[in-house]
Amino acid sequence: MPVTLLADRLWPFAPALWTPVVLAMLSLGLTMELWRVVQSSTVPMARIFLYPGLGLQRLTTREPTIDEAVASVLRRELDVTV
């Protein structure tokens, strides 16, 4: 009996269901390991791998205004709505 046929009978989920999950987990794991290697590297050129992500973060996030920051702190510390 071929291994793939046996696996299809034993594993209840179709490959279309679990393949995206496996690929997402593998890509996240690889990204985290790359991040750790770059962060701990003493070679300045290794940081070039961080620039695309930092650039995207700069485009998609903004600094809160002082009013937003104060309101957030007050909500958290005093449990009030401002």
Side-chain angles (χ1 to χ4, degrees):
M1 176 178 272
V3 174
T4 56
L5 184 61
L6 182 63
D8 283 343
R9 290 186 181 191
L10 293 177
W11 189 255
F13 305 113
L17 294 176
W18 58 266
T19 302
V21 174
V22 169
L23 287 176
M25 292 299 167
L26 287 174
S27 66
L28 285 172
L30 181 66
T31 302
M32 283 303 299
E33 291 302 317
L34 179 64
W35 180 266
R36 289 180 59 208
V37 167
V38 169
Q39 287 293 324
S40 65
S41 176
T42 58
V43 179
M45 285 300 290
R47 293 201 174 259
I48 202 163
F49 289 109
L50 298 179
Y51 291 144
L54 292 173
L56 183 62
Q57 181 180 3
R58 187 175 199 106
L59 286 174
T60 59
T61 57
R62 66 172 177 82
E63 288 277 333
T65 64
I66 191 70
D67 294 335
E68 292 171 337
V70 169
S72 174
V73 170
L74 287 176
R75 272 195 305 271
R76 199 171 343 131
E77 294 296 323
L78 303 176
D79 196 25
V80 297
T81 55
V82 176

Short mmCIF file of all heavy atoms in Angstrom, two decimals, residues 1-46:
data_model
loop_
_atom_site.label_atom_id
_atom_site.label_comp_id
_atom_site.label_asym_id
_atom_site.label_seq_id
_atom_site.Cartn_x
_atom_site.Cartn_y
_atom_site.Cartn_z
N MET A 1 0.85 -1.17 0.00
CA MET A 1 0.00 0.00 0.00
C MET A 1 0.90 1.24 0.00
O MET A 1 1.77 1.36 0.85
CB MET A 1 -0.90 -0.02 1.24
CG MET A 1 -1.76 1.20 1.37
SD MET A 1 -2.85 1.14 2.79
CE MET A 1 -4.24 0.31 2.09
N PRO A 2 0.69 2.18 -0.91
CA PRO A 2 1.51 3.38 -0.95
C PRO A 2 1.34 4.22 0.31
O PRO A 2 0.27 4.25 0.92
CB PRO A 2 0.99 4.14 -2.17
CG PRO A 2 0.26 3.13 -2.98
CD PRO A 2 -0.22 2.09 -2.02
N VAL A 3 2.40 4.88 0.67
CA VAL A 3 2.40 5.68 1.90
C VAL A 3 1.38 6.81 1.82
O VAL A 3 0.69 7.11 2.79
CB VAL A 3 3.82 6.23 2.16
CG1 VAL A 3 3.82 7.18 3.34
CG2 VAL A 3 4.80 5.09 2.37
N THR A 4 1.27 7.44 0.66
CA THR A 4 0.32 8.55 0.53
C THR A 4 -1.12 8.10 0.70
O THR A 4 -1.93 8.79 1.29
CB THR A 4 0.48 9.27 -0.82
OG1 THR A 4 0.32 8.31 -1.86
CG2 THR A 4 1.83 9.92 -0.93
N LEU A 5 -1.44 6.93 0.19
CA LEU A 5 -2.79 6.40 0.35
C LEU A 5 -3.06 6.08 1.82
O LEU A 5 -4.14 6.38 2.35
CB LEU A 5 -2.98 5.15 -0.51
CG LEU A 5 -4.38 4.54 -0.50
CD1 LEU A 5 -5.40 5.54 -1.03
CD2 LEU A 5 -4.39 3.27 -1.33
N LEU A 6 -2.08 5.52 2.49
CA LEU A 6 -2.22 5.23 3.92
C LEU A 6 -2.38 6.52 4.71
O LEU A 6 -3.22 6.61 5.61
CB LEU A 6 -1.00 4.45 4.41
CG LEU A 6 -1.01 4.02 5.86
CD1 LEU A 6 -2.17 3.06 6.12
CD2 LEU A 6 0.31 3.38 6.23
N ALA A 7 -1.59 7.54 4.37
CA ALA A 7 -1.68 8.83 5.07
C ALA A 7 -3.04 9.48 4.83
O ALA A 7 -3.61 10.09 5.74
CB ALA A 7 -0.57 9.76 4.61
N ASP A 8 -3.57 9.36 3.62
CA ASP A 8 -4.89 9.92 3.33
C ASP A 8 -5.98 9.25 4.16
O ASP A 8 -6.94 9.90 4.56
CB ASP A 8 -5.22 9.78 1.85
CG ASP A 8 -4.49 10.79 0.99
OD1 ASP A 8 -3.99 11.79 1.55
OD2 ASP A 8 -4.41 10.58 -0.24
N ARG A 9 -5.83 7.97 4.41
CA ARG A 9 -6.84 7.27 5.20
C ARG A 9 -6.71 7.53 6.69
O ARG A 9 -7.70 7.55 7.41
CB ARG A 9 -6.75 5.77 4.94
CG ARG A 9 -7.22 5.42 3.56
CD ARG A 9 -7.26 3.96 3.36
NE ARG A 9 -7.70 3.69 1.99
CZ ARG A 9 -8.04 2.52 1.57
NH1 ARG A 9 -7.99 1.49 2.38
NH2 ARG A 9 -8.42 2.36 0.33
N LEU A 10 -5.49 7.72 7.17
CA LEU A 10 -5.28 7.94 8.60
C LEU A 10 -5.48 9.39 9.01
O LEU A 10 -5.90 9.67 10.13
CB LEU A 10 -3.87 7.49 9.01
CG LEU A 10 -3.61 5.99 8.91
CD1 LEU A 10 -2.17 5.69 9.26
CD2 LEU A 10 -4.55 5.23 9.82
N TRP A 11 -5.12 10.33 8.15
CA TRP A 11 -5.23 11.75 8.48
C TRP A 11 -6.60 12.25 8.02
O TRP A 11 -6.90 12.22 6.84
CB TRP A 11 -4.11 12.52 7.80
CG TRP A 11 -4.03 13.94 8.26
CD1 TRP A 11 -4.44 15.03 7.58
CD2 TRP A 11 -3.55 14.43 9.50
NE1 TRP A 11 -4.24 16.16 8.30
CE2 TRP A 11 -3.69 15.82 9.50
CE3 TRP A 11 -3.02 13.81 10.63
CZ2 TRP A 11 -3.31 16.61 10.57
CZ3 TRP A 11 -2.64 14.60 11.70
CH2 TRP A 11 -2.78 15.98 11.66
N PRO A 12 -7.44 12.74 8.92
CA PRO A 12 -8.82 13.06 8.55
C PRO A 12 -8.98 14.37 7.77
O PRO A 12 -10.03 14.61 7.19
CB PRO A 12 -9.53 13.17 9.90
CG PRO A 12 -8.45 13.55 10.85
CD PRO A 12 -7.19 12.90 10.34
N PHE A 13 -7.97 15.23 7.75
CA PHE A 13 -8.11 16.53 7.10
C PHE A 13 -7.50 16.51 5.71
O PHE A 13 -6.46 15.91 5.48
CB PHE A 13 -7.43 17.61 7.93
CG PHE A 13 -7.93 17.66 9.34
CD1 PHE A 13 -7.09 17.32 10.39
CD2 PHE A 13 -9.23 18.03 9.62
CE1 PHE A 13 -7.54 17.36 11.69
CE2 PHE A 13 -9.69 18.07 10.91
CZ PHE A 13 -8.85 17.74 11.96
N ALA A 14 -8.12 17.22 4.81
CA ALA A 14 -7.62 17.31 3.44
C ALA A 14 -6.38 18.21 3.42
O ALA A 14 -6.25 19.12 4.23
CB ALA A 14 -8.71 17.90 2.54
N PRO A 15 -5.45 17.93 2.51
CA PRO A 15 -4.25 18.77 2.42
C PRO A 15 -4.57 20.24 2.19
O PRO A 15 -3.82 21.11 2.61
CB PRO A 15 -3.50 18.20 1.23
CG PRO A 15 -3.97 16.79 1.12
CD PRO A 15 -5.39 16.81 1.59
N ALA A 16 -5.68 20.55 1.56
CA ALA A 16 -6.06 21.95 1.34
C ALA A 16 -6.34 22.67 2.65
O ALA A 16 -6.26 23.88 2.72
CB ALA A 16 -7.27 22.02 0.43
N LEU A 17 -6.66 21.92 3.70
CA LEU A 17 -6.92 22.54 5.01
C LEU A 17 -5.65 22.75 5.82
O LEU A 17 -5.49 23.78 6.46
CB LEU A 17 -7.90 21.67 5.81
CG LEU A 17 -9.31 21.56 5.27
CD1 LEU A 17 -10.12 20.59 6.11
CD2 LEU A 17 -9.97 22.92 5.25
N TRP A 18 -4.77 21.77 5.83
CA TRP A 18 -3.61 21.89 6.71
C TRP A 18 -2.38 22.48 6.04
O TRP A 18 -1.48 22.96 6.73
CB TRP A 18 -3.27 20.56 7.38
CG TRP A 18 -2.99 19.42 6.46
CD1 TRP A 18 -3.87 18.49 6.02
CD2 TRP A 18 -1.74 19.08 5.87
NE1 TRP A 18 -3.26 17.59 5.20
CE2 TRP A 18 -1.94 17.93 5.08
CE3 TRP A 18 -0.47 19.62 5.91
CZ2 TRP A 18 -0.92 17.33 4.36
CZ3 TRP A 18 0.55 19.02 5.20
CH2 TRP A 18 0.31 17.90 4.44
N THR A 19 -2.30 22.49 4.73
CA THR A 19 -1.13 23.03 4.05
C THR A 19 -0.91 24.52 4.35
O THR A 19 0.20 24.91 4.67
CB THR A 19 -1.21 22.78 2.53
OG1 THR A 19 -1.33 21.38 2.30
CG2 THR A 19 0.01 23.32 1.82
N PRO A 20 -1.93 25.38 4.29
CA PRO A 20 -1.69 26.79 4.62
C PRO A 20 -1.22 26.99 6.06
O PRO A 20 -0.39 27.85 6.33
CB PRO A 20 -3.04 27.46 4.39
CG PRO A 20 -3.79 26.56 3.49
CD PRO A 20 -3.29 25.19 3.78
N VAL A 21 -1.73 26.18 6.97
CA VAL A 21 -1.32 26.30 8.38
C VAL A 21 0.14 25.90 8.53
O VAL A 21 0.92 26.59 9.20
CB VAL A 21 -2.23 25.43 9.28
CG1 VAL A 21 -1.73 25.43 10.70
CG2 VAL A 21 -3.66 25.91 9.19
N VAL A 22 0.53 24.82 7.91
CA VAL A 22 1.92 24.36 7.99
C VAL A 22 2.86 25.38 7.36
O VAL A 22 3.90 25.73 7.92
CB VAL A 22 2.08 22.98 7.33
CG1 VAL A 22 3.54 22.61 7.18
CG2 VAL A 22 1.34 21.92 8.14
N LEU A 23 2.48 25.90 6.20
CA LEU A 23 3.33 26.90 5.54
C LEU A 23 3.44 28.18 6.36
O LEU A 23 4.51 28.78 6.45
CB LEU A 23 2.80 27.21 4.15
CG LEU A 23 3.02 26.13 3.11
CD1 LEU A 23 2.36 26.52 1.79
CD2 LEU A 23 4.49 25.87 2.91
N ALA A 24 2.35 28.60 6.98
CA ALA A 24 2.39 29.79 7.83
C ALA A 24 3.31 29.57 9.02
O ALA A 24 4.12 30.44 9.37
CB ALA A 24 0.99 30.17 8.29
N MET A 25 3.22 28.42 9.66
CA MET A 25 4.07 28.13 10.81
C MET A 25 5.54 28.06 10.41
O MET A 25 6.41 28.56 11.12
CB MET A 25 3.65 26.82 11.48
CG MET A 25 2.32 26.89 12.13
SD MET A 25 2.36 28.14 13.42
CE MET A 25 0.65 28.28 13.75
N LEU A 26 5.83 27.43 9.28
CA LEU A 26 7.21 27.35 8.82
C LEU A 26 7.77 28.73 8.49
O LEU A 26 8.91 29.05 8.85
CB LEU A 26 7.31 26.44 7.60
CG LEU A 26 7.19 24.96 7.86
CD1 LEU A 26 7.16 24.19 6.54
CD2 LEU A 26 8.33 24.46 8.73
N SER A 27 6.98 29.57 7.83
CA SER A 27 7.47 30.89 7.47
C SER A 27 7.66 31.76 8.72
O SER A 27 8.62 32.52 8.81
CB SER A 27 6.56 31.57 6.46
OG SER A 27 5.31 31.83 7.02
N LEU A 28 6.75 31.65 9.69
CA LEU A 28 6.91 32.40 10.93
C LEU A 28 8.14 31.93 11.70
O LEU A 28 8.88 32.75 12.25
CB LEU A 28 5.66 32.25 11.80
CG LEU A 28 4.45 33.05 11.37
CD1 LEU A 28 3.24 32.66 12.21
CD2 LEU A 28 4.72 34.52 11.48
N GLY A 29 8.35 30.65 11.75
CA GLY A 29 9.53 30.12 12.44
C GLY A 29 10.82 30.57 11.78
O GLY A 29 11.78 30.98 12.45
N LEU A 30 10.86 30.50 10.47
CA LEU A 30 12.04 30.94 9.73
C LEU A 30 12.29 32.43 9.93
O LEU A 30 13.43 32.86 10.14
CB LEU A 30 11.88 30.63 8.24
CG LEU A 30 13.05 31.01 7.35
CD1 LEU A 30 14.28 30.18 7.70
CD2 LEU A 30 12.68 30.83 5.89
N THR A 31 11.24 33.22 9.90
CA THR A 31 11.37 34.66 10.11
C THR A 31 11.89 34.97 11.50
O THR A 31 12.77 35.84 11.67
CB THR A 31 10.01 35.35 9.88
OG1 THR A 31 9.56 35.04 8.57
CG2 THR A 31 10.12 36.84 10.05
N MET A 32 11.37 34.29 12.51
CA MET A 32 11.84 34.53 13.89
C MET A 32 13.30 34.15 14.05
O MET A 32 14.07 34.86 14.71
CB MET A 32 10.99 33.75 14.89
CG MET A 32 9.64 34.38 15.15
SD MET A 32 9.75 36.09 15.75
CE MET A 32 10.64 35.88 17.26
N GLU A 33 13.72 33.05 13.46
CA GLU A 33 15.12 32.65 13.56
C GLU A 33 16.02 33.65 12.83
O GLU A 33 17.09 33.99 13.33
CB GLU A 33 15.31 31.24 13.01
CG GLU A 33 14.69 30.17 13.87
CD GLU A 33 15.24 30.18 15.29
OE1 GLU A 33 16.46 30.32 15.48
OE2 GLU A 33 14.43 30.03 16.22
N LEU A 34 15.60 34.11 11.67
CA LEU A 34 16.37 35.12 10.95
C LEU A 34 16.48 36.40 11.77
O LEU A 34 17.55 37.00 11.86
CB LEU A 34 15.74 35.41 9.59
CG LEU A 34 16.43 36.47 8.74
CD1 LEU A 34 17.83 36.01 8.36
CD2 LEU A 34 15.61 36.76 7.50
N TRP A 35 15.39 36.80 12.41
CA TRP A 35 15.39 38.00 13.25
C TRP A 35 16.38 37.84 14.41
O TRP A 35 17.15 38.75 14.71
CB TRP A 35 13.98 38.24 13.77
CG TRP A 35 13.86 39.45 14.64
CD1 TRP A 35 13.93 39.50 15.99
CD2 TRP A 35 13.67 40.79 14.20
NE1 TRP A 35 13.79 40.78 16.41
CE2 TRP A 35 13.63 41.59 15.35
CE3 TRP A 35 13.52 41.38 12.96
CZ2 TRP A 35 13.44 42.97 15.28
CZ3 TRP A 35 13.34 42.74 12.90
CH2 TRP A 35 13.30 43.52 14.05
N ARG A 36 16.37 36.68 15.06
CA ARG A 36 17.29 36.45 16.17
C ARG A 36 18.74 36.47 15.72
O ARG A 36 19.60 37.02 16.41
CB ARG A 36 16.97 35.12 16.85
CG ARG A 36 15.68 35.15 17.63
CD ARG A 36 15.36 33.84 18.28
NE ARG A 36 16.43 33.47 19.19
CZ ARG A 36 16.74 32.22 19.50
NH1 ARG A 36 16.05 31.24 18.99
NH2 ARG A 36 17.73 31.97 20.32
N VAL A 37 19.03 35.88 14.57
CA VAL A 37 20.40 35.86 14.06
C VAL A 37 20.86 37.27 13.73
O VAL A 37 21.98 37.67 14.07
CB VAL A 37 20.50 34.94 12.82
CG1 VAL A 37 21.81 35.14 12.08
CG2 VAL A 37 20.34 33.49 13.23
N VAL A 38 20.00 38.04 13.08
CA VAL A 38 20.37 39.41 12.70
C VAL A 38 20.55 40.27 13.95
O VAL A 38 21.49 41.06 14.03
CB VAL A 38 19.32 40.01 11.75
CG1 VAL A 38 19.53 41.49 11.56
CG2 VAL A 38 19.37 39.30 10.41
N GLN A 39 19.68 40.12 14.93
CA GLN A 39 19.79 40.92 16.15
C GLN A 39 21.06 40.61 16.94
O GLN A 39 21.64 41.50 17.54
CB GLN A 39 18.57 40.68 17.05
CG GLN A 39 17.31 41.32 16.53
CD GLN A 39 17.38 42.84 16.57
OE1 GLN A 39 17.94 43.43 17.46
NE2 GLN A 39 16.79 43.44 15.56
N SER A 40 21.47 39.37 16.94
CA SER A 40 22.65 39.00 17.72
C SER A 40 23.94 39.10 16.92
O SER A 40 25.03 38.88 17.47
CB SER A 40 22.49 37.58 18.27
OG SER A 40 22.44 36.66 17.21
N SER A 41 23.84 39.44 15.66
CA SER A 41 25.02 39.50 14.80
C SER A 41 25.86 40.73 15.12
O SER A 41 25.34 41.80 15.43
CB SER A 41 24.60 39.53 13.33
OG SER A 41 25.75 39.67 12.52
N THR A 42 27.17 40.57 15.03
CA THR A 42 28.08 41.70 15.23
C THR A 42 28.45 42.35 13.90
O THR A 42 29.12 43.37 13.88
CB THR A 42 29.37 41.24 15.94
OG1 THR A 42 29.99 40.21 15.15
CG2 THR A 42 29.05 40.71 17.32
N VAL A 43 28.00 41.75 12.80
CA VAL A 43 28.28 42.28 11.47
C VAL A 43 27.24 43.35 11.13
O VAL A 43 26.04 43.05 11.08
CB VAL A 43 28.25 41.16 10.41
CG1 VAL A 43 28.52 41.72 9.03
CG2 VAL A 43 29.22 40.06 10.77
N PRO A 44 27.65 44.60 10.92
CA PRO A 44 26.68 45.66 10.64
C PRO A 44 25.87 45.42 9.35
O PRO A 44 24.71 45.83 9.27
CB PRO A 44 27.52 46.92 10.49
CG PRO A 44 28.81 46.61 11.18
CD PRO A 44 29.00 45.14 11.06
N MET A 45 26.45 44.74 8.38
CA MET A 45 25.72 44.49 7.13
C MET A 45 24.54 43.52 7.31
O MET A 45 23.65 43.47 6.48
CB MET A 45 26.67 43.93 6.06
CG MET A 45 27.59 44.97 5.46
SD MET A 45 26.68 46.31 4.68
CE MET A 45 26.02 45.47 3.27
N ALA A 46 24.52 42.77 8.39
CA ALA A 46 23.42 41.84 8.63
C ALA A 46 22.12 42.59 8.89
O ALA A 46 21.04 42.08 8.61
CB ALA A 46 23.74 40.93 9.81
#
